[in-house]
Amino acid sequence: MVISEKFKIYSEVFEVFLMKDIVRDGDPVLRKQAPKVKFPLSKEDKQLAHDLMEYLEVSQNPELCEKYKLRAGVGLAAPQVGVSEMMASVLVPNEDENESDTPLFKDVIINPVIVSSSVQRGALTEGEGCLSVDKDIPGYVPRAARITLRYTDVDGKDHKIRLKNYPAIVCQHEIDHLHGVLFYDHINKDNPFTKSDDEIFIY
Ligand code: 4LI
Ligand code: NI
């Protein structure tokens, strides 16, 4: 693992990815099919899982985000830090101020599989951004509005969960990374803001 910098807060030592560690569009690793992760996890894979989540936590802290010149994210996939493996972190904060301590979804998803997708489509009203894509690419990114997701967590526990709204969109975006797909691949090139019937808008 590349250790960018060590810094102390609340007298704990953190090591976090910096923007220079994030692979940008054009690097072939972003277009590769990532191989599955083997269990039990190696020490390196456990560290990677931890570091992927830590980036999201630090990036969502306004002071640390500014201090380390990060771009805030709600998802980060292993290929985005140059590691071609089926692993991604997802941390979707709760917008409800009273529930801000309990994220809408937080986990490192390993070997994730979307076992079913709703017929209904959904897209983020403001389009999607990606830490590996520096320029804004406008347009709707049509996805399934709801998914059933199967994955394994860092402890080797299997999960099968239903997701809707923002967490469903974020997980589909991150799982795309594990298959070499980027969000703009889904944007209609002739009319980026085409709205299909039966498409709902999220946020
Ligand atoms: C600060 C602190 C407006 C524009 C609204 C920011 C904490 C876009 C949305 C955040 C947009 C946090 C996000 C994603 C979009 C836009 C990702 C801000 C971080 C909103 C996450 C993976 C797509 C995910 C909703 C071009 C880096 N994230 N916004 N899309 N937020 N964030 N994606 N869309 N228009 N990308 O980007 O993490 S799925 Cl949490
Ligand atoms: Ni991305």
Side-chain angles (χ1 to χ4, degrees):
M1 192 52 38
V2 185
I3 297 163
S4 300
E5 195 184 346
K6 293 193 175 194
F7 60 96
K8 272 173 147 38
I9 61 160
Y10 311 128
S11 63
E12 272 183 83
V13 177
F14 284 73
E15 296 167 0
V16 74
F17 290 118
L18 299 180
M19 289 314 292
K20 69 174 176 62
D21 302 310
I22 307 232
V23 168
R24 304 307 158 86
D25 193 9
D27 189 309
V29 72
L30 291 176
R31 291 304 189 173
K32 280 210 293 217
Q33 167 63 50
K36 282 177 79 170
V37 176
K38 291 189 179 66
F39 280 86
L41 289 188
S42 66
K43 230 180 124 196
E44 290 75 20
D45 283 337
K46 279 186 191 161
Q47 183 70 46
L48 176 63
H50 173 269
D51 292 350
L52 289 173
M53 185 56 78
E54 189 161 79
Y55 178 90
L56 299 180
E57 290 172 338
V58 172
S59 81
Q60 291 180 17
N61 174 307
E63 289 82 41
L64 294 174
C65 186
E66 163 66 23
K67 183 168 180 200
Y68 294 99
K69 303 279 176 247
L70 305 179
R71 218 179 116 189
V74 287
L76 182 63
Q80 293 184 274
V81 295
V83 182
S84 191
E85 288 190 356
M86 295 207 93
M87 185 191 292
S89 59
V90 179
L91 174 53
V92 183
N94 203 321
E95 293 297 301
D96 184 341
E97 274 177 35
N98 305 315
E99 307 237 23
S100 60
D101 301 342
T102 42
L104 288 182
F105 184 77
K106 178 181 183 177
D107 215 347
V108 176
I109 59 173
I110 302 173
N111 302 331
V113 178
I114 295 168
V115 292
S116 74
S117 300
S118 63
V119 174
Q120 186 170 49
R121 311 292 284 165
L124 296 182
T125 318
E126 306 284 347
E128 293 188 14
C130 176
L131 299 174
S132 296
V133 180
D134 288 329
K135 62 177 194 305
D136 254 30
I137 303 182
Y140 297 141
V141 181
R143 299 187 182 277
R146 296 173 299 281
I147 57 170
T148 302
L149 178 67
R150 197 198 286 274
Y151 70 93
T152 308
D153 69 20
V154 279
D155 300 317
K157 186 172 178 267
D158 292 323
H159 296 256
K160 190 179 170 190
I161 55 165
R162 278 198 183 82
L163 293 173
K164 59 178 181 173
N165 301 332
Y166 201 24
I169 299 289
V170 177
C171 285
Q172 289 174 83
H173 176 117
E174 299 314 322
I175 292 167
D176 270 355
H177 276 300
L178 309 181
H179 299 286
V181 175
L182 294 172
F183 73 93
Y184 61 76
D185 299 344
H186 299 290
I187 298 175
N188 183 315
K189 275 166 202 65
D190 301 320
N191 187 355
F193 293 99
T194 317
K195 188 191 170 308
S196 65
D197 304 335
D198 197 36
E199 186 165 64
I200 59 165
F201 285 100
I202 297 157
Y203 273 33

